[in-house]
Amino acid sequence: MAIGYAQALEDVMARVNKSRTSFRAGMAILPKDRREAMYALYAFCREVDDIADDGPTPEIRQIELQKWRERISNLFKGKVSNTITATLAPAVKKFTLVEKDFQDIIDGMAMDAGTPIVAPDMKTLDLYCDRVASAVGRVSVRIFGDASEDAMKVSFHLGRAFQLTNILRDLGEDAQRGRLYLPIELLSKNGVTANTPAQVLRDPQLPAVCRELATVARGHFFAADLAMKDCLRSAMRPARIMRSYYRAIFDRLVALDWKNPAKRVRLPIWQKLWLALRSLAGL
């Protein structure tokens, strides 16, 4: 049965609204077609992320992700199979989206869907960040209206900055899932020999490890800012809003110095609004 766009969009918006994500506010400034495309992208990312996090077994998680690989392959052949792909379909043509970026996102989720990641090497961590974050950025900047080389540099660096911030913020939550994304090189360098996520979080050298990873993230924030200066200013408005939001979380983490890694840092509503207004004004 054919899936109408209006029906598909209604389902996608229900998914976005249910998540109560601050992402929606950042996308609200976009023109209607670009906004709806971003909501569809969010729904896709949320769907595959939920499979990786909440699927009952590793085998079922991989099977469900493979179904999404096939759905995306069919989408780029002009065939839609559910409300998310039906909402993405106009954006694929209008904004010249690239199938590999979507497949990279699924591959990133597959890294989380199997054996929990614990202390990966830096190369593996960078690949993970590229797939789960920078690939999302590559799709996003095309939807925003800038597919230039500089926009891809923004995606490369801002995606990594965002994901490393997530890792540094979500240490406790990840440990509960048996995951630890802090790289083995930094753990070894700082004398952390514990072999379980929970033990690492109790190690007195944890703040030193996090400070070093924060230095890597800070470099990506800086490089993204440089690249953004050469992009279309109007197209980068949503990216600036998201950058301001994540940088505020990052700065808060650095100030707290990971003394209580189990506590998740959040920004108050007033600060989110203030950051959004500053970003829109170009400050």
Side-chain angles (χ1 to χ4, degrees), residues 114-180:
T115 302
I117 296 174
V118 177
D121 58 51
M122 288 290 287
K123 183 178 180 180
T124 301
L125 177 62
D126 189 67
L127 176 63
Y128 175 77
C129 290
D130 186 79
R131 287 174 170 176
V132 302
S134 294
V136 178
R138 292 192 288 273
V139 179
S140 298
V141 294
R142 289 177 182 275
I143 294 173
F144 295 162
D146 191 342
S148 67
E149 182 178 343
D150 288 310
M152 295 305 153
K153 288 179 182 178
V154 172
S155 303
F156 179 96
H157 290 292
L158 211 53
R160 283 158 169 80
F162 288 176
Q163 191 59 33
L164 292 176
T165 298
N166 285 338
I167 287 168
L168 291 166
R169 179 190 60 184
D170 298 339
L171 291 168
E173 183 178 313
D174 289 334
Q176 290 177 359
R177 294 181 180 272
R179 298 170 179 168
L180 179 73

Side-chain angles (χ1 to χ4, degrees), residues 40-253:
L41 173 61
Y42 177 87
F44 162 72
C45 293
R46 181 77 271 159
E47 182 80 5
V48 293
D49 186 57
D50 286 346
I51 290 170
D53 282 348
D54 302 325
T57 68
E59 293 75 18
I60 291 175
R61 292 194 287 269
Q62 295 295 349
I63 289 170
E64 292 302 313
L65 289 175
Q66 180 58 33
K67 290 179 182 178
W68 267 104
R69 290 188 180 94
E70 294 167 3
R71 290 182 185 120
I72 292 300
S73 178
N74 287 331
L75 169 64
F76 281 83
K77 295 173 183 174
K79 304 173 185 177
V80 301
S81 51
N82 62 12
T83 55
I84 293 175
T85 55
T87 312
L88 281 170
V92 167
K93 294 181 179 180
K94 189 166 188 177
F95 307 125
T96 321
L97 304 185
V98 177
E99 179 183 351
K100 185 179 183 301
D101 294 332
F102 288 88
Q103 299 291 2
D104 283 348
I105 294 168
I106 298 172
D107 287 343
M109 300 307 169
M111 293 175 74
D112 274 332
T115 302
I117 296 174
V118 177
D121 58 51
M122 288 290 287
K123 183 178 180 180
T124 301
L125 177 62
D126 189 67
L127 176 63
Y128 175 77
C129 290
D130 186 79
R131 287 174 170 176
V132 302
S134 294
V136 178
R138 292 192 288 273
V139 179
S140 298
V141 294
R142 289 177 182 275
I143 294 173
F144 295 162
D146 191 342
S148 67
E149 182 178 343
D150 288 310
M152 295 305 153
K153 288 179 182 178
V154 172
S155 303
F156 179 96
H157 290 292
L158 211 53
R160 283 158 169 80
F162 288 176
Q163 191 59 33
L164 292 176
T165 298
N166 285 338
I167 287 168
L168 291 166
R169 179 190 60 184
D170 298 339
L171 291 168
E173 183 178 313
D174 289 334
Q176 290 177 359
R177 294 181 180 272
R179 298 170 179 168
L180 179 73
Y181 297 98
L182 300 177
I184 186 64
E185 292 93 334
L186 298 186
L187 294 169
S188 298
K189 178 182 177 181
N190 289 280
V192 179
T193 58
N195 55 17
T196 70
Q199 289 174 330
V200 171
L201 264 59
R202 292 193 294 268
D203 194 289
Q205 286 299 106
L206 175 69
V209 174
C210 292
R211 285 182 217 120
E212 292 206 41
L213 192 59
T215 298
V216 177
R218 190 178 289 108
H220 285 301
F221 274 115
F222 179 75
D225 290 345
L226 286 180
M228 203 178 293
K229 292 179 180 178
D230 295 320
C231 295
L232 289 174
R233 186 174 180 80
S234 59
M236 286 295 113
R237 286 191 302 163
R240 287 198 302 273
I241 292 173
M242 295 170 70
R243 182 264 182 216
S244 296
Y245 174 72
Y246 269 89
R247 185 58 195 247
I249 291 175
F250 174 82
D251 290 341
R252 181 66 175 154
L253 288 166

